[in-house]
């Protein structure tokens, strides 16, 4: 072994962990996605039957649609709100630390606990939001009995919890811009909008792509917070692909089909991630 | 012009203050419910002022045995951090120093592992754990968290180790250190901030983990997030008790945020922001 290759030995334990505990199970799942396998029964090879059955299930298509819409809405909202907050923080000098501790806090807390709190806040009658509504004379809807409101609330909870990620990254990006570049643009006659668009945003391109990539990955496969908040209801209106998959696999015990849903989730997710990674690489070269 | 600027800054402070209130309000609300007796919690209109009680915490932790779930969480979290962070540090160091196209691509691709849907992993974990008698044990949870944490931890450590000059390695070699000694005596001490940061993030990942613990644990190894997520779903008469549980699980994270905020921010930006 050459001296240089000995460095690879350092990576070996970690590499083994990834292969054994991530790649091997995924392979195992892909394998079983071609089997008719209900928990407790014997597995029989059925080719693509699981996939065909899933595509015939309107609930699957509904879950794909919901996960996609959810991801698009929350990721755009998190980016816009996050950029706004980062720009505000870039304006101020004092109290940065206490303010940022409070603003960043939701991102780090247990998502399941956040789900429980949001369920309480919008509980009929006793929930604080319902109470505030009646205080100003509004009759609050039965939040979690209405499909539209339930969807709005899971979006709200996701934006509340994960916007700080965008803030942290964008604020660090704004801080790392040199004052000289901004001043130079101003001397060249750029107005504030042009400075923002062509200096600040343009220099944070790879950070923006990173935010989109990480947030798309996490929100498209979201399980815990929604599971605790609505468990996919009412009438499957907030059922993400992960919750649909959980029901198929662990309530109906159709393991083979569950694996196929997982494989499809990965394939759908790989498309935007591929393009974002490519974009990030070219943004880094610039 | 100057006036306009002062106004803009003042507005920024006000806006940020409102955002901060919006961010912490749900937690404050949970704290209020958790420190109320049921009569106050269920009163209409909402009581903003009340005599706080810590009875709920006492009941939950001592009578309802939540210390058991805490113990499980502590065992899983501490083991995950102790195993995962050294592995990731070594891997990031080795791949960086190898300096080939292959190792570079491996580092770049690390974040791609994050896109694996947890359910795609959870089903095989469940099957294999049942088959090998690992269901409802610490070992399976720790294994999963260690592996699942590798990509992000490696990416993070790479962000820190990029800043460690190669000359340091060479100087150590001239002084007669072999590769292992170079790592333990030279590299580890200088990358301590990175290691602390990776440890905090591994702690958070393990502490907040829900889906794998939900599927793989029942009685013996159930962790706090699962216990609290399920306890909250029960009868509403337990409301103040489960609020006490939610507050308890959030408090350690708040403490980390208050005292170690610098590391958290650095951790998220180390791999992303250059310079």
């Amino acid at each position: 072994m050459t001296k240089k290759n000995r460095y690879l030995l350092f990576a070996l334990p970690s590499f083994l962990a990834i292969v054994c505990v991530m790649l091997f199970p995924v392979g195992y799942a892909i394998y079983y996605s071609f089997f008719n396998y209900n928990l407790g029964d014997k597995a029989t090879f059925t080719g693509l039957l699981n996939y065909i059955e899933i595509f015939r299930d309107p609930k699957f298509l509904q879950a794909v649609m919901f996960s996609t819409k959810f991801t698009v809405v929350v990721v755009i909202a998190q980016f816009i709100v996050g950029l706004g907050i980062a720009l505000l923080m870039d304006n101020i000098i004092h109290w940065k630390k206490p303010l940022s501790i409070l603003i960043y806090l939701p991102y780090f807390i247990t998502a399941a606990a956040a789900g429980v709190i949001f369920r309480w806040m919008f509980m009929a009658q006793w929930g604080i939001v319902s109470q505030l509504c009646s205080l100003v004379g509004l009759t609050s809807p039965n939040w979690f009995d209405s499909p539209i409101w339930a969807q709005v609330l899971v979006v709200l909870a996701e934006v509340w919890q994960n916007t700080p990620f965008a803030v942290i990254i964008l604020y660090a990006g704004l801080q790392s811009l040199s004052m000289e570049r901004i001043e130079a643009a101003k001397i060249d006659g750029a107005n504030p909008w042009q400075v923002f668009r062509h200096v600040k945003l343009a220099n944070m391109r790879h950070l923006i792509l990173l935010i989109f990539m990480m947030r798309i990955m996490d929100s498209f496969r979201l399980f815990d917070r929604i599971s605790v908040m609505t468990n996919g209801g009412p009438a499957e209106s907030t059922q993400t692909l992960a919750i649909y998959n959980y029901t198929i696999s662990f309530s109906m015990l159709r393991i083979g089909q569950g694996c196929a849903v997982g494989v499809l989730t990965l394939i759908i997710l790989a498309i935007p991630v591929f393009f974002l990674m490519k974009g990030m690489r070219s943004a880094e070269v610039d | 012009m100057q006036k306009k600027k002062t106004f803009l800054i003042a507005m920024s402070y006000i806006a940020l203050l409102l955002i901060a209130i919006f961010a912490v309000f749900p937690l404050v609300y949970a704290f209020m419910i958790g420190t109320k007796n049921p009569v106050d919690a269920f009163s209409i209109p909402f009581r903003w002022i009340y005599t706080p009680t810590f009875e709920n915490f006492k009941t939950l932790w001592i009578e309802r045995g939540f210390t058991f779930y805490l113990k499980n969480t502590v065992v899983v979290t501490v083991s995950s951090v102790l195993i995962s962070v050294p592995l990731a540090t070594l891997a990031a160091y080795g791949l960086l120093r190898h300096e080939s196209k292959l190792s570079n691509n491996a580092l770049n691709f690390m974040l791609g592992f994050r896109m694996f849907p947890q359910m795609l992993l959870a089903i095989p974990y469940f099957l294999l754990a049942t088959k090998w008698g690992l269901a409802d044990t610490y070992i399976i949870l720790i294994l999963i968290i260690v592996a699942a944490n590798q990509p992000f931890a490696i990416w993070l450590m790479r962000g820190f180790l990029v800043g460690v000059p190669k000359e340091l390695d060479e100087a150590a070699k001239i002084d007669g250190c072999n590769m292992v000694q170079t790592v333990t005596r030279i590299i580890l001490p200088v990358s301590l901030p990175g290691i602390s940061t990776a440890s905090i993030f591994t702690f958070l990942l393990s502490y907040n983990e829900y889906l794998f613990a939900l599927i793989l644990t029942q009685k013996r190894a159930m962790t706090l997030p699962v216990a609290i997520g399920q306890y909250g779903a029960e009868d509403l008469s337990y409301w103040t008790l489960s609020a006490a549980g939610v507050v308890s699980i959030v408090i350690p994270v708040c403490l980390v945020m208050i005292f170690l905020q610098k590391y958290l921010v650095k951790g998220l930006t180390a791999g992303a922001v250059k310079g």
Side-chain angles (χ1 to χ4, degrees), chain B residues 24-42:
Chain B
V24 287
F25 178 73
L27 304 177
V28 174
Y29 178 62
F31 181 80
M32 290 174 88
I33 303 294
T35 53
K36 280 178 175 182
N37 56 48
V39 180
D40 284 329
F42 285 103

Side-chain angles (χ1 to χ4, degrees), chain A residues 90 170-182 195-196 198-204, chain B residues 273-274:
Chain A
D90 203 32
L170 290 171
Y171 178 62
L174 286 172
Q175 294 275 295
S176 72
L177 285 182
S178 68
M179 243 5 230
E180 288 108 60
R181 292 187 79 158
I182 294 169
V195 171
F196 169 69
H198 295 291
V199 180
K200 292 184 179 171
L201 275 193
N203 274 295
M204 296 197 296
Chain B
V273 187
K274 287 176 227 156

Side-chain angles (χ1 to χ4, degrees), chain A residues 4-5 7 13-14 21 25 91 93-94 100 104 108 110 117 119-120 126 128 131 160 206 218 221 223-224 249 269, chain B residues 12-13 23 26 29 42 45-46 94 98 114-116 123-125 150 154 208 232 239 242-243 253 257 261 272:
Chain A
K4 198 177 141 196
N5 278 344
Y7 280 115
S14 172
V21 190
N91 269 344
I93 301 156
H94 305 291
S100 61
Y104 296 166
F108 297 99
T110 317
I117 300 175
R119 205 178 57 212
W120 293 334
W126 293 294
I128 183 74
Q131 293 219 17
W160 173 78
H206 82 282
D218 286 351
R221 49 175 209 178
F223 177 83
D224 42 13
S249 311
L269 197 49
Chain B
S12 301
Y13 277 108
Y29 178 62
F42 285 103
F46 186 78
H98 189 246
R114 258 182 81 122
M115 87 181 158
F116 281 11
I123 302 171
Y125 290 157
Q150 287 307 304
I154 292 175
N208 292 337
W239 190 20
S242 58
V253 182
M257 190 66 212
Q261 189 218 17

Side-chain angles (χ1 to χ4, degrees), chain B residues 140-163:
Chain B
I140 182 88
L141 271 186
I142 295 166
L143 263 176
I144 292 171
I145 290 165
V146 165
N149 184 49
Q150 287 307 304
F152 184 71
I154 292 175
W155 186 72
L156 199 155
M157 283 313 299
R158 173 232 194 158
F160 280 93
L161 289 170
V162 159

